[in-house]
DNA sequence: AAAAAGTCCACCAAGTTGGTAGGGTGTTTG
DNA sequence: CAAACACCCTACCAACTTGGTGGACTTTTT
């Protein structure tokens, strides 16, 4: 399951997508409109900024804005950033791989199955972007 | 990600699948062969028994055994039992559904996307059984 | 009766999650 | 220059989950 943090991140990003290229948006505005605890949202946006997804501006007229074209930011990227691995097992993760002890990956039925699940999920998550969050 | 508990459960179940219809298997034997902490495994097997997946027998010659044909126990069932929801959002889960507050499911891009991911995953997990764990 | 083997209950350490508090830093405007 | 503005940063916290252990109890077999 996606953490609440991730869900907040997606809500905030969808709001920023709707206001793409309309200048910086206040954290407080996003928090209010999307009903996200303000201070918690601060942390999330800062993290997204450090990852290069968002940009920010201080002082009057400041706020956060999308650094990139929302049509080019994959949903999978955001999940990995805020939530962690997409795969169901470490030995199957592309970005968070960890060798499986006491289980030979070449002869593990669960491993093979989870590779399939991962690929099925990524087929969707890697092809959708922030633009797809807006209906 | 699947919890360690879930991974242990699958290892134990695969062992029991390999010994299907060969009489009860000792917890201690499974623990040793699959390198699972004994007391932890006890809890897991008991839970699987209470869910009707396993049966048990006490006293000499006792142990645990599969209650059903391994080819008829879906992997999805085990995951829901031991790990919880398969979906990435509560508002998208079939077995653990919870309404999404502050988000109209009819007009939420994330919701729609996660429905697709869920269905893609279930397409695999609902069609595979314990038998498929053995390679 | 003794041994075997599962059952049950209670507890624990460490980590994660979701959040709060409060001051610091850089920008703009008057 | 100073005040207002708005993000930046560090620290902290309660509650919950995860992964695991210890010990006593019951049931079954020999």
């Amino acid at each position: 399951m996606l953490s609440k943090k991730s869900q907040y991140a997606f809500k905030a990003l969808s709001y920023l997508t709707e206001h793409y290229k309309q200048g910086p948006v206040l954290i407080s505005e996003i928090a209010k409109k999307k009903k996200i605890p303000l201070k918690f949202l601060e942390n999330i946006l800062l993290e997204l900024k450090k990852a290069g997804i968002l940009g920010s501006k201080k002082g009057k007229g400041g706020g956060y804005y999308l650094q990139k074209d929302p049509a080019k930011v994959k949903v999978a990227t955001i999940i990995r950033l805020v939530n962690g691995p997409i795969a169901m097992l470490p030995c199957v993760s592309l970005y968070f791989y960890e060798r499986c002890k006491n289980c030979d990956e070449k002869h593990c039925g669960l491993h093979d199955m989870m590779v399939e699940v991962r690929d099925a999920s990524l087929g969707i998550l890697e092809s959708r972007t922030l633009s797809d969050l807006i209906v």
Side-chain angles (χ1 to χ4, degrees), chain A:
Chain A
M1 300 270 287
L2 293 178
S3 62
K4 275 200 140 195
K5 185 177 167 187
S6 303
Q7 297 180 49
Y8 289 155
F10 279 117
K11 284 186 194 233
L13 286 168
S14 77
Y15 192 81
L16 288 173
T17 296
E18 287 174 322
H19 294 76
Y20 184 51
K21 287 201 165 159
Q22 295 174 22
V25 181
L26 291 182
I27 302 180
S28 55
E29 180 184 337
I30 304 173
K32 192 174 179 186
K33 288 286 175 53
K34 292 296 186 175
K35 292 173 182 159
I36 304 171
L38 184 85
K39 296 294 284 181
F40 197 20
L41 181 57
E42 271 190 24
N43 301 333
I44 296 168
L45 296 181
L46 195 53
E47 196 174 328
L48 290 170
K49 180 195 170 181
K50 285 179 180 164
I53 312 288
L54 300 180
S56 70
K57 193 168 176 304
K58 288 183 178 182
K60 181 152 195 177
Y64 276 98
Y65 51 87
L66 274 170
Q67 191 72 274
K68 307 176 179 179
D69 180 348
K72 293 195 174 143
V73 180
K74 294 180 198 167
V75 170
T77 304
I78 304 300
I79 293 181
R80 290 196 183 101
L81 198 61
V82 182
N83 207 75
I86 290 169
M88 296 188 97
L89 291 176
C91 65
V92 151
S93 174
L94 298 174
Y95 286 74
F96 298 83
Y97 176 80
E98 277 177 57
R99 202 182 82 261
C100 203
K101 18 186 172 302
N102 317 328
C103 149
D104 181 357
E105 294 173 21
K106 300 260 183 310
H107 305 90
C108 176
L110 191 60
H111 175 93
D112 297 351
M113 205 176 297
M114 292 310 164
V115 166
E116 288 186 68
V117 173
R118 180 200 68 196
D119 289 342
S121 299
L122 289 186
I124 296 159
L125 298 173
E126 294 275 21
S127 71
R128 304 306 164 80
T129 69
L130 295 185
S131 302
D132 296 311
L133 293 177
I134 313 299
V135 303

